[in-house]
Amino acid sequence: MSPGPARGRVAGSDAGGPRRGPVRRWQLVRAGSDAVPPSTRRFMARARQRRMRAALPWAVAGGVLAVAGLVAWTVLGTGLFGVREVRVVGADLVTPVEVRDAAAVPDGVPLARVDLAATARRIGALPPVERVTVTRDWPGTLVVTVVERTGAAVVPRDGRYAVIDGSGVPFRMVDGVPDGLPVVRVDAPGPDDPGTRAALEVLAALTPQLRAELTELTVAGLARISLSLRGDRTVVWGDATRSPDKARVATALLGRKADTIDVSAPDVVTFR
């Protein structure tokens, strides 16, 4: 009887060689796309789409902010849209040079950075300017629209005449009396002067006939207002109260032969 294989030996191995166990070899193999189940691939695709949809608004917002920042820097921080011209509209009593000097806007300053309200205030400080608006005309023009004061009367001052508007503001000096403007004699012409305000109130109440005869209005006191008419006639007005009634009565009496007509009490008129 032949002996069987020795215990602990591997059948078929060299009885005289070293003992060996089972040989195992491991190898990393990349699975092909077919190895991933379709359901898993669909889940992964949907996950990628969700991530892209979530990131899209942030990407769009970032792009918009970048473009807005570039535009703001171009408009506010560079001279590309700087002031190249100050265009003056409506100026007659003041020259465009005076308006530009009062505006004090340097050439090349970014148009968007010009303080329109402050510029308008500086220009409005010019005496002949009643109101002013300042606007931007892109890419590089500042438009100044001026409305000048309208003369209502002239006041003799040091051999010349100060022209005042309907609110009593003196805004220019002239050598002679302009056509159509009455002469008003007050001590301190100005919008805050009671005598000036009283004189303007009386002028506003005059009828066209009385206005055509007027040569001078004198305010010697708030209750001592008088009109000098053509032909060396005088109308004693008194104060500025009831001026429309006084104007109507004085107009009706223009044909009377009298050097002085006293309408200070319009219900009781006297002649001299």
Side-chain angles (χ1 to χ4, degrees):
M1 183 173 182
S2 60
R7 183 174 296 181
R9 302 284 184 91
V10 178
S13 62
D14 186 359
R19 184 168 57 184
R20 295 180 180 179
V23 178
R24 296 179 179 177
R25 298 180 181 273
W26 296 92
Q27 183 177 3
L28 181 62
V29 178
R30 184 181 297 275
S33 60
D34 293 340
V36 181
S39 61
T40 302
R41 291 199 300 270
R42 289 194 296 270
F43 174 79
M44 295 173 64
R46 288 195 294 268
R48 285 195 300 269
Q49 291 175 355
R50 285 194 296 270
R51 288 195 297 270
M52 292 178 63
R53 285 196 296 267
L56 182 60
W58 293 100
V60 172
V64 170
L65 289 176
V67 172
L70 178 61
V71 171
W73 176 77
T74 302
V75 173
L76 297 173
T78 71
L80 184 61
F81 294 97
V83 176
R84 300 287 181 268
E85 177 189 3
V86 177
R87 185 188 309 152
V88 181
V89 180
D92 182 29
L93 301 178
V94 293
T95 66
V97 173
E98 290 175 317
V99 173
R100 293 188 186 101
D101 289 344
V105 176
D107 290 340
V109 66
L111 187 60
R113 292 173 54 186
V114 176
D115 188 333
L116 301 183
T119 303
R121 285 194 297 270
R122 291 193 294 269
I123 298 171
L126 294 172
V129 176
E130 182 174 6
R131 61 183 182 273
V132 59
T133 57
V134 182
T135 57
R136 300 180 180 93
D137 186 8
W138 299 95
T141 302
L142 204 63
V143 181
V144 178
T145 304
V146 173
V147 176
E148 296 179 328
R149 300 184 187 276
T150 301
V154 294
V155 180
R157 304 291 291 176
D158 300 326
R160 303 183 70 197
Y161 296 89
V163 182
I164 62 174
D165 68 355
S167 60
V169 176
F171 62 92
R172 61 183 297 211
M173 296 295 296
V174 294
D175 294 327
V177 179
D179 292 339
L181 293 185
V183 176
V184 172
R185 294 188 179 275
V186 293
D187 292 333
D192 298 326
D193 174 52
T196 302
R197 291 199 300 267
L200 292 171
E201 184 178 347
V202 172
L203 287 176
L206 298 183
T207 63
Q209 299 90 333
L210 198 57
R211 183 69 175 260
E213 295 294 319
L214 179 67
T215 59
E216 192 173 283
L217 186 153
T218 302
V219 182
L222 292 181
R224 298 168 56 200
I225 301 173
S226 63
L227 310 182
S228 297
L229 307 182
R230 300 179 188 276
D232 294 328
R233 293 181 297 173
T234 301
V235 177
V236 178
W237 203 267
D239 58 24
T241 61
R242 300 187 64 185
S243 285
D245 293 336
K246 296 174 182 179
R248 186 170 57 255
V249 172
T251 300
L253 298 175
L254 285 177
R256 297 287 295 267
K257 292 184 178 181
D259 294 334
T260 302
I261 304 173
D262 190 339
V263 295
S264 56
D267 298 326
V268 182
V269 181
T270 60
F271 303 91
R272 292 196 297 274

